[in-house]
Amino acid sequence: PKHERLNLLLIAAYRENGNSQAAETLLTKRAKEIAGRISSGWELFWKIGIKQDEHKLHSRVYSISSNADGMHYIPFRLPSNLLRLRLDPPSYSSLELSDIQFEIDGIVYSLLTNDFHLNQMLHRHNSIVSTGKQDPYFEFDPRSYLQNHETFSGDMALRFRVTLSIGDDRVPLSRVR
């Protein structure tokens, strides 16, 4: 069934009646549908400083896929006058982002989600959660990481794990085939 609540009720009913195989089949099918929708449409925004008190905002849309280690990766090349980075997961997505990392010239920094500005997302332990709202995003100031790089090529990446939230179930996106 296409209707989300009906899907969740059927999964729960199958489990309640001991038919875990049917529940898992339905959950897997739903996870594949969601994965197809949320693997694209990730938008990266960045703000660069041009002159004193003058800034310019740019953006680019990405598709994500996972590496063998289950990490999703968004590579980009930006100038060293970078002031802010913001990542928007797809609209209306219900997912959890964990193990969030910022890579600069091959050096990987683990990010503390407490330092993020969140919109329509919540902090949960060491991760952030999007709960199906229209405009979820997180934003952070990358300058403290950039100041450690005197020679700077501009090669950067955001790396993270994505877990789908389907009712009470959590499905790692990297395991959805």
Side-chain angles (χ1 to χ4, degrees):
K2 291 283 184 199
H3 195 271
E4 185 67 20
R5 285 193 181 136
L6 186 54
N7 248 321
L8 297 176
L9 282 171
L10 269 174
I11 291 169
Y14 283 141
R15 285 186 177 141
E16 205 171 286
N17 290 307
N19 194 346
S20 58
Q21 184 176 358
E24 291 308 308
T25 300
L26 191 55
L27 179 63
T28 300
K29 182 179 178 196
R30 185 69 187 126
K32 285 179 184 179
E33 291 168 2
I34 294 169
R37 184 173 47 84
I38 70 151
S39 61
S40 60
W42 293 73
E43 190 165 10
L44 182 71
F45 291 86
W46 62 96
K47 185 191 293 186
I48 57 172
I50 298 175
K51 296 179 187 171
Q52 185 72 24
D53 295 331
E54 191 175 326
H55 310 103
K56 191 169 184 182
L57 186 65
H58 302 273
S59 72
R60 180 175 169 200
V61 177
Y62 290 85
S63 292
I64 61 169
S65 61
S66 62
N67 291 340
D69 63 0
M71 294 291 280
H72 290 78
Y73 192 85
I74 295 178
F76 49 95
R77 187 172 182 82
L78 297 178
S80 60
N81 58 342
L82 181 63
L83 301 175
R84 299 288 293 171
L85 269 178
R86 171 179 146 181
L87 183 63
D88 292 32
S91 295
Y92 305 107
S93 55
S94 293
L95 47 84
E96 180 177 348
L97 302 178
S98 59
D99 299 327
I100 302 170
Q101 302 169 342
F102 182 43
E103 182 179 331
I104 306 167
D105 292 338
I107 299 171
V108 178
Y109 300 93
S110 291
L111 299 179
L112 298 173
T113 60
N114 296 355
D115 296 337
F116 292 171
H117 168 75
L118 302 180
N119 186 67
Q120 298 181 354
M121 297 185 86
L122 308 167
H123 289 279
R124 183 180 293 154
H125 308 291
N126 292 329
S127 63
I128 53 177
V129 178
S130 163
T131 58
K133 300 224 175 7
Q134 182 179 359
D135 189 25
Y137 66 79
F138 71 91
E139 183 176 26
F140 70 99
D141 183 347
R143 289 177 286 186
S144 62
Y145 303 101
L146 295 172
Q147 66 191 6
N148 299 328
H149 294 267
E150 290 156 17
T151 59
F152 177 68
S153 73
D155 290 330
M156 300 180 209
L158 281 173
R159 300 161 30 134
F160 46 86
R161 295 187 194 286
V162 179
T163 303
L164 305 177
S165 297
I166 305 171
D168 293 333
D169 290 292
R170 304 290 173 262
V171 180
L173 182 58
S174 61
R175 293 191 187 147
V176 178
R177 303 278 177 245

